[in-house]
Amino acid sequence: MTTAAPPLLDPRHSYASITDRIVEISLRRNFPFAWVAMVGIAFSVVGLMMVSILWLLSWGVGVWGINIPVAWAFAITNFVWWIGIGHAGTLISAILLLMRQPWRNSISRFAEAMTLFAVANAGLFPLLHLGRIWKFFYLFPYPDTLGLWPQWRSPLVWDVIAVLTYFTVSLLFWYLGLLPDLASMRDAAARRWVRVAAGIAALGWRGSARHWQRYQMAYLLLAGLATPLVVSVHSIVSLDFSVALVPGWHTTIFPPYFVAGAIFSGFAMVLTLAIPLRSAFGLQDFITARHLDCMAKVMLANGLIVAYGYLAEDFTAWYSGDLYEVSKLRDHLFGGGAALYWAVMFCNVLVTQALWFRRVRTRPLPLLLVALVINVGMWLERYDIIVGSLSSDFMPSAFGGFSGTFWDWSLLAGSLGLFTLLFLVFIRVVPMMSMFELRDQLFKERRAAGSGAPRDDHPRTHAEVAPPSGPLHGVLAEFHDAQSVTGAARSARAAGYRDLDAYTPFPVEDLPEALGLPPTRIPLLVLACGILAGASAYFLMWYSAVIDFPWNIGGRPLNSWPSFIPITFEITVLGGALGAFFGVLAGSGLPLLYHPVFNVPGFERATRDRFFLCVRTSDAQAGPVHGMLRALGPIRVSEVRGPPP
Amino acid sequence: MASPFGPGANAVARGVVLLVPLTIVVLSVAGGVYWRSSYRTGVGVVLDQPVPFSHKHHVSGLGIDCRYCHTTVEESSTAGMPPTETCMNCHSQLYTDSPMLAPVRQSWETDIPLRWNRVHEVPGFAYFDHSVHIAAGVGCVSCHGRVDQMPLVSKQHTLFMQWCLDCHRHPEGALVPHDKVFDLGWQRPSGAGKGAEPSGVPLMDHVRTVGLTSCSACHR
């Protein structure tokens, strides 16, 4: 982060105003009519999708237009398109986190949700393509009665594992990031059932320094794991094609060009969602013109890589002199495939050049138009790669056309409807922006600008409940800002108190050290889980391919270790991510829905704008603790008591 | 504002957290146990038949050869079920008024075949040929068990693909001398290796094991 950059957040914001502004959306009793209408439309499209799926299951995949030679068409196009869109969410949440790009904070939450919904949609299509969807579990290695194992050398099997790993890691990443914000929601809600629902979902998060310490480490490690994962997923998707010998598929440029294309289309979708969202909910404060500018620049950069991919593909085809490659190229440039090819070039190469202009990048409407064109263009690109290549491969006598049937189109429309529906539900029920990361960003921006903590004393108008009168758990001091609570923790330790905890609305850097917390062992856990999972995956493949079912595949060695790398890698990441997620929960003692500190009036501001230091003590020794804490200049000092025994 | 949860909520939350993986494990194990149980596979389960035909009586007691009834087992994919005429070869003379045999006589009179219930059902997508197995020297007993000792026949093996593959990978255990294929009680002489004729001539010479685990051996 360059300190010279102007702040992304309006300096008039405070921790409370950020929190209240965003959490208020999820807590509204009524949503605008436009939202209700869109849910209705999306719901009816999902109904159409359900009918299409029932029809497909009743009659088989023949209801689609697929046949030989075009055996893959809409379903695989949709799969690649959706999974590509998913990539932007992980790029924003993981890669931009590692690169310390603060503009990711406002968009990461809904971009991650977009990833989840896009990957869920993507996963649906290969499943439907199976025809017998109820046999999906054949894809997994399990102790079956068939005596068979998945074919580990096939990119299609890598793909299953990669997509599932990707979905799982994205879900863990998203949910982990959501915990503190669900806690904010729990503490801000007035209605009891919302507090109960959000409270269960937040697993009892209370912003303890012990939570934050593990949380931050796990989040960083998850980002580190997700970064190579996101690159691997679309590389593996591209290998579904490039490992085959079909002209138009068999090219080494595919993995990088697919990854760039994925990010390109993903950012187009993020913008397609962000621009209407910010105006519908008045979030221009958080998604500023500079955010749009940054996203457009990423899109432009990836668009240029994609354009280079097209060029390299065509050049290689021409330069190879291979009869089939050249004829495929000729068909693209001038032949029957020209209309589709040039439409792709127009959408993905020509229109993208508009992003060189700052006026396009920073203005919502032109940018939205460019993003929509790119969304369409990237679908057409995948359609061209899949249908275009399959329809004319080697023997002209075996060429064949394809045209989508009603059921092809209805499932494409249905998946768009499902995506829209899931997204509409998402913006309704959970905070659509990462509030704690925005509070943290505000803290850092104000510190960089040399201004102190924001002062903002809008108390919430909750009815105060008399605290219970049970035995004393500890004494709690409330502060305005992060520096004060860190200083107070240092003083308390210097005064000889050891059993301390602090509760803050965002992770405070020096706090674990000031409280004397030991370093977290999460990195070790993640390493162990990753190694264990990866080694188990390799062992399983080795055992099944060498010992249990030795099978000659094109004369390759039984232990084809290069083919076993992708799955070993995916499962390593999966193991590490599961270790990180459950390490945070187990290490922080979550779920813990009840904690005595929740009984303190005003503690709900720990997830909004206040900083608390808690000294554990008993009734007998409470006197000196009170005195020590009062001397530190808190807003107030309260006693933490449980219910009477 | 006070927490919406009381101290009891923690135990409930922990219980749920433990219960979810436990449920998944229990359901998975239960599914596997069910799939392999005789309730699903029918192993050892006697089906209702129009006539309680005793293989034990006819084979062990009377010494009738398998092929007397299952006439096409050596040259066809199916072993063949005997027509009512085969039963009547004897039963026109023996037990002619036994109530147990009433359906046989009725079939004979009406010319409507008996409808036996199939004990060994191979699914349509698996190609199975009896004659190939007989010619290779696979004894009947390998798949059908000691039919000669069953008063009422039941399935002895699951017919899981895993079970087929076990033998296709290591057929030597099932191969017997060619004149012993229909001898259900034949014992491999001690000292003779699996897949070896008692005289020491290897049985495996004529069985090409390379293709036996190919998908298209059974799924054509």
Side-chain angles (χ1 to χ4, degrees):
Chain A
M1 187 169 49
T2 50
T3 45
L8 283 160
L9 278 170
D10 188 328
R12 281 168 299 182
H13 265 300
S14 66
Y15 303 139
S17 71
I18 290 173
T19 312
D20 296 351
R21 181 71 191 81
I22 294 166
V23 82
E24 169 268 330
I25 297 170
S26 323
L27 295 176
R28 283 185 201 172
R29 275 171 190 271
N30 295 310
F31 249 44
F33 176 74
W35 181 85
V36 178
M38 282 171 75
V39 166
I41 293 167
F43 204 79
S44 26
V45 180
V46 171
L48 174 68
M49 182 188 209
M50 292 302 149
V51 171
S52 312
I53 290 174
L54 278 178
W55 192 256
L56 177 81
L57 295 183
S58 313
W59 298 103
V61 288
V63 302
W64 293 339
I66 54 173
N67 209 323
I68 300 300
V70 184
W72 282 3
F74 267 56
I76 305 299
T77 305
N78 297 343
F79 162 70
V80 180
W81 188 62
W82 278 120
I83 198 106
I85 285 170
H87 279 51
T90 319
L91 181 106
I92 289 167
S93 52
I95 300 180
L96 296 185
L97 177 83
L98 297 181
M99 291 181 169
R100 294 173 188 274
Q101 295 294 309
W103 57 273
R104 68 174 276 286
N105 294 338
S106 319
I107 56 174
S108 62
R109 171 69 42 73
F110 71 81
E112 286 168 28
M114 175 201 80
T115 290
L116 281 182
F117 305 149
V119 175
N121 257 307
L124 193 61
F125 283 99
L127 273 184
L128 293 176
H129 215 308
L130 292 176
R132 295 181 189 158
I133 189 169
W134 51 93
K135 302 273 189 198
F136 75 96
F137 54 86
Y138 281 19
L139 295 165
F140 301 113
Y142 69 101
D144 60 12
T145 55
L146 302 173
L148 278 183
W149 295 96
Q151 174 51 273
W152 306 118
R153 297 169 186 85
S154 164
L156 297 178
V157 172
W158 304 347
D159 210 350
V160 175
I161 309 279
V163 170
L164 274 175
T165 300
Y166 187 39
F167 183 79
T168 311
V169 172
S170 304
L171 184 67
L172 296 179
F173 205 73
W174 182 71
Y175 187 52
L176 191 64
L178 205 48
L179 285 180
D181 284 356
L182 288 168
S184 294
M185 198 171 151
R186 167 197 69 202
D187 295 340
R191 283 171 293 172
R192 187 182 153 78
W193 75 266
V194 179
R195 285 166 52 218
V196 171
I200 291 172
L203 304 178
W205 181 271
R206 48 187 198 280
S208 153
R210 289 176 168 81
H211 296 179
W212 283 123
Q213 186 193 19
R214 295 186 176 85
Y215 175 92
Q216 274 200 299
M217 182 52 79
Y219 206 66
L220 194 65
L221 291 169
L222 272 176
L225 288 168
T227 299
L229 175 68
V230 71
V231 175
S232 83
V233 172
H234 228 60
S235 299
I236 287 175
V237 170
S238 82
L239 294 177
D240 290 348
F241 305 100
S242 57
V243 163
L245 296 171
V246 176
W249 284 7
H250 193 57
T251 162
T252 50
I253 191 83
F254 261 28
Y257 144 60
F258 264 55
V259 172
I263 294 164
F264 184 50
S265 65
F267 266 83
M269 188 56 94
V270 172
L271 282 167
T272 308
L273 298 171
I275 292 169
L277 266 188
R278 82 197 269 268
S279 62
F281 293 98
L283 296 168
Q284 285 89 343
D285 268 9
F286 302 115
I287 306 178
T288 62
R290 202 174 135 213
H291 288 89
L292 299 181
D293 188 36
C294 289
M295 285 189 267
K297 280 176 180 165
V298 174
M299 206 156 74
L300 176 61
N302 281 286
L304 293 175
I305 301 175
V306 171
Y308 169 76
Y310 295 148
L311 196 68
E313 206 186 348
D314 289 349
F315 173 78
T316 315
W318 169 74
Y319 194 65
S320 72
D322 179 81
L323 177 68
Y324 305 108
E325 292 287 349
V326 172
S327 82
K328 172 102 281 176
L329 176 64
R330 190 168 294 147
D331 178 65
H332 262 153
L333 297 179
F334 321 109
L340 192 55
Y341 179 80
W342 291 112
V344 171
M345 291 301 136
F346 170 79
C347 295
N348 297 347
V349 179
L350 191 69
V351 171
T352 310
Q353 305 314 314
L355 299 175
W356 287 106
F357 301 99
R358 195 181 150 73
R359 294 218 309 207
V360 177
R361 290 200 306 268
T362 51
R363 283 163 63 198
L365 207 58
L367 194 55
L368 181 62
L369 281 176
V370 171
L372 285 172
V373 170
I374 291 171
N375 279 324
V376 175
M378 287 307 290
W379 191 87
L380 291 176
E381 183 215 274
R382 275 66 172 258
Y383 183 85
D384 187 29
I385 289 174
I386 293 165
V387 175
S389 303
L390 283 175
S391 61
S392 50
D393 48 8
F394 299 102
M395 300 257 288
S397 60
F399 287 5
F402 171 84
S403 67
T405 64
F406 171 77
W407 302 107
D408 280 312
W409 289 104
S410 68
L411 268 170
L412 172 60
S415 74
L416 285 165
L418 181 63
F419 177 80
T420 312
L421 184 65
L422 289 170
F423 199 80
L424 287 169
V425 171
F426 156 74
I427 57 175
R428 181 72 185 89
V429 297
V430 290
M432 68 175 98
M433 287 182 186
S434 177
M435 297 182 287
F436 85 88
E437 281 175 312
L438 287 169
R439 292 191 291 255
D440 187 35
Q441 183 186 334
L442 181 72
F443 169 71
K444 285 178 179 148
E445 280 181 0
R446 292 187 69 101
R447 189 178 57 182
S451 38
R455 284 297 168 108
D456 176 284
D457 270 321
H458 301 299
R460 286 218 179 94
T461 50
H462 284 321
E464 298 247 323
V465 181
S469 56
L472 192 69
H473 171 88
V475 182
L476 194 69
E478 182 175 346
F479 297 91
H480 268 299
D481 56 53
Q483 287 98 333
S484 312
V485 78
T486 314
R490 287 220 169 86
S491 312
R493 262 186 80 77
Y497 294 100
R498 289 291 172 271
D499 203 352
L500 307 172
D501 203 352
Y503 304 95
T504 56
F506 55 84
V508 178
E509 273 167 55
D510 305 334
L511 204 45
E513 173 258 306
L515 291 165
L517 299 181
T520 162
R521 283 168 297 178
I522 291 224
L524 205 61
L525 179 73
V526 171
L527 182 70
C529 288
I531 290 175
L532 189 69
S536 313
Y538 193 94
F539 173 78
L540 180 72
M541 287 185 279
W542 171 82
Y543 171 77
S544 58
V546 178
I547 306 294
D548 195 56
F549 199 169
W551 186 233
N552 183 343
I553 305 289
R556 291 176 184 84
L558 292 175
N559 183 19
S560 309
W561 65 267
S563 307
F564 298 166
I565 289 176
I567 290 179
T568 307
F569 168 77
E570 300 296 331
I571 300 295
T572 304
V573 169
L574 183 65
L578 289 170
F581 181 78
F582 289 104
V584 174
L585 296 194
S588 312
L590 299 176
L592 193 76
L593 299 185
Y594 169 83
H595 189 274
V597 81
F598 288 127
N599 294 327
V600 175
F603 184 71
E604 68 272 4
R605 293 181 73 168
T607 57
R608 182 176 176 243
D609 61 341
R610 287 286 163 82
F611 303 75
F612 295 85
L613 178 69
C614 181
V615 183
R616 282 292 298 273
T617 183
S618 61
D619 278 303
Q621 285 128 15
V625 179
H626 272 281
M628 183 273 296
L629 285 176
R630 277 187 210 292
L632 298 171
I635 303 169
R636 60 173 160 172
V637 173
S638 334
E639 291 191 328
V640 184
R641 288 183 184 277
Chain B
M1 184 160 54
S3 159
F5 304 103
N10 290 341
V12 177
R14 299 242 156 111
V16 171
V17 166
L18 287 178
L19 217 57
V20 169
L22 198 68
T23 312
I24 293 171
V25 169
V26 166
L27 285 181
S28 312
V29 171
V33 168
Y34 160 75
W35 194 257
R36 288 163 176 80
S37 70
S38 60
Y39 181 76
R40 157 118 207 337
T41 62
V43 170
V45 176
V46 174
L47 301 181
D48 276 339
Q49 301 291 2
V51 178
F53 178 84
S54 167
H55 276 84
K56 182 179 180 184
H57 170 67
H58 289 83
V59 180
S60 299
L62 305 174
I64 299 176
D65 189 89
C66 306
R67 288 161 291 184
Y68 182 74
C69 301
H70 304 293
T71 51
T72 55
V73 71
E74 285 176 300
E75 59 261 12
S76 163
S77 59
T78 55
M81 286 298 282
T84 307
E85 283 81 351
T86 308
C87 308
M88 291 306 275
N89 283 347
C90 299
H91 287 294
S92 58
Q93 310 292 323
L94 297 168
Y95 305 113
T96 48
D97 48 4
S98 158
M100 264 200 291
L101 291 171
V104 178
R105 291 191 297 272
Q106 195 191 356
S107 160
W108 175 253
E109 281 156 19
T110 56
D111 221 17
I112 298 170
L114 287 165
R115 294 187 69 99
W116 301 96
N117 287 314
R118 188 177 280 279
V119 176
H120 294 86
E121 176 97 61
V122 179
F125 51 78
Y127 176 82
F128 178 80
D129 191 317
H130 272 94
S131 65
V132 172
H133 288 82
I134 300 290
V138 180
C140 303
V141 70
S142 294
C143 304
H144 296 289
R146 292 300 298 269
V147 172
D148 60 326
Q149 294 178 355
M150 294 179 206
L152 294 171
V153 165
S154 62
K155 213 161 123 181
Q156 296 301 296
H157 295 285
T158 57
L159 305 199
F160 284 149
M161 180 171 155
Q162 169 82 71
W163 174 77
C164 297
L165 274 175
D166 282 345
C167 192
H168 274 216
R169 285 175 186 152
H170 305 291
E172 58 275 10
L175 298 183
V176 301
H178 284 286
D179 57 342
K180 304 297 182 196
V181 166
F182 299 97
D183 183 351
L184 299 174
W186 184 74
Q187 292 289 320
R188 197 177 301 281
S190 57
K194 280 183 177 181
E197 298 267 15
S199 60
V201 179
L203 279 170
M204 291 290 287
D205 273 2
H206 60 285
V207 178
R208 290 189 313 114
T209 52
V210 153
L212 285 183
T213 47
S214 172
C215 306
S216 61
C218 308
H219 304 295
R220 301 191 164 183

